[in-house]
Amino acid sequence: MAGVAVFLARVRPLPPTPGAMWADPASGRGTLDLYAWPDERTAIPATWQEVRRTPGVRIGWAWHDDDGQAFWLTRDNPAAATAVVHGRRPGTGTRHALYETPEGPRPAGVVCHGPCDHDAHHLRHLAADLAVSPSGPATVVPERLPGLRGVTLAYEDGRGVLRRNDRVTTVSWGVPLRRSAAAALVAHAVRLAAAA
């Protein structure tokens, strides 16, 4: 799970134990299929214990759908400890400048149109996630994420756009939209939804 900002986790109940009559030891137990976003085709099998014992992994948002119980997992980025966020409020919005380190490059700018509901912790993680080498193939941002109602994402005019209910946030970065940047935006949306 190292190096991946966000996972979609699906709970897979254990099959009934053959021959169990009164108290089936499999009852109520399950394993997990982890999908490193955005690759929702290849599952990484895991147990609850493995997830709980992995440092810096947080359960972000849980729901039930047609495929059963699911939840988002985010990974704390260790580089967030050295990331720096500067904010200012021109007019009715807030502008945040995100820096990888105090002396390092600025991987992104974030503009909150209207009231801002970001805290420095989430923005430092976004800065650290965006600072990851913009590698991998070009990708698209999904309009909606499973389980997150009221949240939409887009990539417009070279900026990531995050809409949460009536709030709009744009994230500008100086590279084409690659998987790592899209995953950073998705992880940020999941972290914000879990904090609400």
Side-chain angles (χ1 to χ4, degrees):
M1 293 196 321
V4 176
V6 64
F7 288 92
L8 174 63
R10 292 222 169 255
V11 179
R12 301 298 178 212
L14 292 178
T17 306
M21 295 187 65
W22 306 110
D24 187 344
S27 181
R29 298 179 58 215
T31 60
L32 302 172
D33 285 342
L34 304 181
Y35 298 89
W37 197 91
D39 185 11
E40 296 182 21
R41 295 170 300 218
T42 306
I44 302 166
T47 66
W48 288 99
Q49 293 81 9
E50 290 169 334
V51 169
R52 282 198 315 254
R53 290 182 192 148
T54 303
V57 171
R58 306 205 185 279
I59 294 178
W61 191 260
W63 72 94
H64 286 274
D65 60 17
D66 292 341
D67 292 326
Q69 184 180 2
F71 56 93
W72 287 100
L73 287 173
T74 56
R75 180 190 57 81
D76 287 346
N77 190 323
T82 58
V84 176
V85 177
H86 297 291
R88 62 185 178 92
R89 296 176 188 238
T92 60
T94 305
R95 293 183 181 274
H96 306 279
L98 310 182
Y99 294 89
E100 185 176 351
T101 63
E103 307 83 30
R106 180 182 153 224
V110 175
V111 177
C112 301
H113 305 274
C116 176
D117 57 359
H118 294 100
D119 64 22
H121 169 78
H122 292 125
L123 290 171
R124 283 193 303 271
H125 277 284
L126 177 60
D129 290 344
L130 285 171
V132 172
S133 172
S135 60
T139 191
V140 296
V141 173
E143 182 178 343
R144 299 206 182 272
L145 296 171
L148 296 183
R149 293 188 193 126
V151 174
T152 60
L153 299 171
Y155 187 68
E156 302 169 355
D157 301 323
R159 292 185 290 259
V161 180
L162 168 62
R163 291 180 178 87
R164 277 184 62 214
N165 301 321
D166 59 346
R167 309 227 176 154
V168 177
T169 300
T170 57
V171 181
S172 302
W173 54 88
V175 295
L177 183 62
R178 302 288 181 194
R179 281 187 169 193
S180 59
L185 187 61
V186 169
H188 184 64
V190 170
R191 288 180 183 118
L192 289 177

